[in-house]
Amino acid sequence: MIKNICCIGAGYVGGPTMSIIALKSPHIKVTVVDLNQERIDAWNGEDLDKLPVYEPGLAEVVDQCRGKNLFFSTEVDKAIDKADAIFISVNTPTKTYGVGKGMAADLKYIELCARQIARVATSDKIVIEKSTLPVRTAEAIANILKNTGNGVDFQILSNPEFLAEGTAVSDLMSPDRVLIGGEQTEKGKKAAEKLVDVYKNWVDEDKILTTNVWSSELSKLTANAFLAQRVSSINAMSELCEVTGADVNEVARAIGTDSRIGSKFLKASVGFGGSCFQKDILNLVYIAKSYGLNEVADYWEQVIVLNDHQKRRFAANIVKTLFNTVSGKDIAILGWAFKKDTNDTRESAAIYVADELLNERASLKVYDPKVNEEKVYTDLNYLETRTNKENVELVDVVEDPYEACKGAHAIAILTEWDEFKSYDWNRIYDNMQKPAFIFDGRALLDLEELSRIGFITYSIGKGN
Ligand code: UDX
Ligand code: ADP
């Protein structure tokens, strides 16, 4: 039986997942470790509003379990040594150098973890890959671990995480399914059973699927590719709706009632973001290409092509509508996170839309309920389009949405935060330059009401 769990990586996956395991399994001691001292300090901090990951309901769970059976620490070696099961939950960004640059996943951090486990472990361990990884990573981890020659037995399992940010706590509490891939050997099956027992503390047994390692790994990439493809499909239709005078929300509603299609993931947007979709598809494309499956690779690559187009055309439309120039004009950006209810900004469409507008020399005022100034500048600096100094000159990050819109020529809605719907839009309108424009990249607001107030409106996927 698993009694002591160590999770390497205290990020958006490791933090919430381990908190729920701890909550639901009081008899298991869960230690989440990370190299990043600041992150661990924040997880251990008094102020629950300042946890490194914002997720509705998470602070309450951490508060309940922390110090009882949930611990956050930088003592990686110690936690590895004590654990019967080790989750690897470190980041696997797209490679920025060498072979596979811009496409393949960088497995540097995973390999470092495997080597560290191999060095430290003195008793048998179950090692579980939780990060999204290219197919056959488990094999690489196994090769490192099983050739240590120290007599320790390692069983490697794949247990991909399907939680979506913003709904992590409820996704973890009642998952559609839990997937566990293991080696099809006696020992492999036993290890998988032990992990099944952990999840059985709160998940129905019929929702816990076991399979072989490769199928499990590939299922994660496939799930994300299918979901992202739905977003790109509806976004492709959004452009057609705009030029033909249809309403994409109506089209989505109509097709969503077909039970074969289903109603979820049909919301047109300024483009999908997040740490998974683009990375996983690029990964899939890379794998397909490496096996010479060019048609398969091209097929999935189009999901990304369309997504990039959607972000660019949204920005271009702002410029065109504002009389072909935004130079020196103030534009309010409402929303910087890649979706609502998270403070995560990785690959957020807002970054790319802002970058295009800055290229046209606009001045931006950014407001997001959960994203701070430092993150906005880090995101823009990372693109290397401008220096930090230039970004600081052109972009103001403010803590009040009314302040962001004051004196602006236009407002761009880039994240679907609920609070945007309840703003006093009359007051915002009164304090803007006229004509006052609003560009709704999430089809979130009531356009009729905004037009009545006096705004000139554009909403993604809505034609005139
Ligand atoms: C995704 C998967 O959903 C999850 O199962 C996996 O574990 C990790 O990747 P996440 O990226 O956290 O989760 O959020 P998700 O809700 O999938 O949204 C991804 C992006 O697509 C966001 O930018 C979101 O705004 C966008 N999106 C989603 C749309 O534009 N329209 C939709 O209808 C749904
Ligand atoms: P994810 O969304 O996959 O959780 P994050 O970037 O939020 O990704 O979190 C990954 C975490 O893993 C980071 O906090 C990083 O510091 C940590 N990490 C990376 N490599 C190691 C390592 N070798 N040992 C411990 N922690 C690591």
Side-chain angles (χ1 to χ4, degrees):
M1 199 163 85
I2 295 175
K3 287 194 187 134
N4 198 322
I5 288 177
C6 159
C7 171
I8 308 180
Y12 284 91
V13 173
T17 311
M18 293 305 125
S19 299
I20 300 300
I21 291 186
L23 179 76
K24 298 291 186 182
S25 325
H27 56 287
I28 299 179
K29 180 179 173 190
V30 182
T31 309
V32 191
V33 292
D34 204 296
L35 297 171
N36 185 334
Q37 181 75 52
E38 213 183 312
R39 239 186 187 184
I40 290 299
D41 289 346
W43 280 112
N44 282 325
E46 288 284 308
D47 189 350
L48 288 166
D49 285 338
K50 295 219 169 92
L51 294 181
V53 172
Y54 170 72
E55 279 291 340
L58 180 62
E60 289 80 353
V61 177
V62 171
D63 193 30
Q64 210 174 318
C65 304
R66 204 173 53 181
K68 292 190 185 117
N69 67 329
L70 175 65
F71 302 89
F72 296 93
S73 161
T74 50
E75 291 184 292
V76 184
D77 286 1
K78 192 171 146 199
I80 290 175
D81 191 32
K82 293 227 157 110
D84 338 293
I86 302 163
F87 284 84
I88 302 184
S89 226
V90 301
N91 37 337
T92 50
T94 304
K95 271 186 91 174
T96 52
Y97 55 89
V99 178
K101 180 179 170 192
M103 293 202 122
D106 192 341
L107 298 180
K108 178 170 71 182
Y109 303 108
I110 296 281
E111 188 176 331
L112 282 173
C113 282
R115 289 189 186 280
Q116 194 161 3
I117 296 169
R119 183 164 45 77
V120 173
T122 52
S123 57
D124 294 353
K125 310 275 178 214
I126 299 174
V127 177
I128 304 149
E129 49 167 40
K130 198 72 180 152
S131 321
T132 308
L133 296 166
V135 184
R136 307 220 161 173
T137 303
E139 200 171 65
I141 298 179
N143 275 335
I144 294 170
L145 290 177
K146 293 194 170 172
N147 290 307
T148 55
N150 60 1
V152 172
D153 181 61
F154 293 104
Q155 287 303 318
I156 290 84
L157 301 176
S158 155
N159 173 217
E161 188 46 69
F162 292 105
L163 70 84
E165 289 177 31
T167 51
V169 172
S170 58
D171 292 349
L172 287 162
M173 295 255 204
S174 31
D176 287 346
R177 72 339 204 156
V178 169
L179 186 59
I180 297 169
E183 271 178 40
Q184 299 302 298
T185 57
E186 202 55 43
K187 278 185 173 171
K189 284 181 186 162
K190 262 204 182 127
E193 267 321 302
K194 284 186 181 170
L195 188 57
V196 169
D197 285 341
V198 172
Y199 284 105
K200 268 197 332 204
N201 285 315
W202 77 98
V203 180
D204 287 347
E205 206 168 345
D206 59 356
K207 285 192 175 162
I208 306 176
L209 315 176
T210 50
T211 178
N212 64 53
V213 177
W214 299 344
S215 303
S216 168
E217 289 178 323
L218 188 56
S219 300
K220 173 67 197 260
L221 292 189
T222 310
N224 276 344
F226 270 56
L227 290 170
Q229 179 201 44
R230 280 176 75 94
V231 178
S232 275
S233 296
I234 199 72
N235 281 345
M237 300 320 291
S238 75
E239 190 170 12
L240 190 58
C241 286
E242 286 168 32
V243 294
T244 54
D247 179 340
V248 75
N249 284 350
E250 293 297 306
V251 174
R253 190 160 67 98
I255 65 166
T257 55
D258 185 327
S259 61
R260 294 167 303 175
I261 296 175
S263 60
K264 293 185 181 156
F265 268 73
L266 287 180
K267 193 98 188 69
S269 66
V270 53
F272 60 74
S275 68
C276 282
F277 282 2
Q278 171 154 319
K279 183 187 77 182
D280 287 356
I281 292 178
L282 288 174
N283 223 325
L284 197 60
V285 169
Y286 183 74
I287 293 168
K289 276 196 182 146
S290 67
Y291 284 102
L293 310 181
N294 293 327
E295 288 77 6
V296 176
D298 291 348
Y299 175 76
W300 287 109
E301 198 162 17
Q302 277 305 309
V303 174
I304 304 281
V305 169
L306 200 285
N307 197 50
D308 287 339
H309 169 66
Q310 188 78 345
K311 293 179 269 190
R312 264 198 313 273
R313 85 177 180 88
F314 185 82
N317 184 41
I318 296 180
V319 178
K320 189 173 120 219
T321 312
L322 294 184
F323 316 108
N324 285 316
T325 176
V326 291
S327 171
K329 290 180 182 165
D330 273 355
I331 299 178
I333 303 282
L334 297 187
W336 193 262
F338 81 98
K339 61 185 284 199
K340 72 172 179 179
D341 292 338
T342 177
N343 62 344
D344 193 353
T345 64
R346 285 176 288 181
E347 291 302 324
S348 178
I351 304 168
Y352 298 93
V353 171
D355 187 52
E356 298 271 337
L357 294 173
L358 291 170
N359 284 342
E360 296 291 332
R361 301 183 187 260
S363 299
L364 305 182
K365 276 198 192 160
V366 178
Y367 167 76
D368 185 287
K370 289 287 172 198
V371 179
N372 62 26
E373 184 177 63
E374 192 190 336
K375 226 176 205 175
V376 172
Y377 291 129
T378 307
D379 289 339
L380 287 171
N381 294 344
Y382 187 74
L383 296 178
E384 294 184 351
T385 323
R386 277 163 302 280
T387 61
N388 176 56
K389 187 166 168 277
E390 288 166 315
N391 285 325
V392 171
E393 258 165 35
L394 291 169
V395 183
D396 265 350
V397 184
V398 297
E399 289 185 2
D400 172 20
Y402 295 92
E403 166 76 22
C405 301
K406 203 170 170 183
H409 291 258
I411 297 169
I413 309 274
L414 300 181
T415 311
E416 73 285 22
W417 286 101
D418 288 331
E419 65 170 60
F420 297 165
K421 289 188 270 190
S422 55
Y423 286 174
D424 181 349
W425 287 102
N426 278 297
R427 178 177 151 206
I428 290 177
Y429 178 80
D430 287 344
N431 289 320
M432 285 177 67
Q433 304 277 345
K434 306 294 174 329
F437 294 87
I438 191 155
F439 297 88
D440 185 353
R442 294 286 182 163
L444 181 74
L445 301 175
D446 180 347
L447 290 193
E448 273 181 32
E449 192 203 325
L450 292 172
S451 310
R452 231 178 290 123
I453 293 172
F455 281 104
I456 300 176
T457 61
Y458 161 86
S459 182
I460 202 93
K462 288 191 185 164
N464 294 311

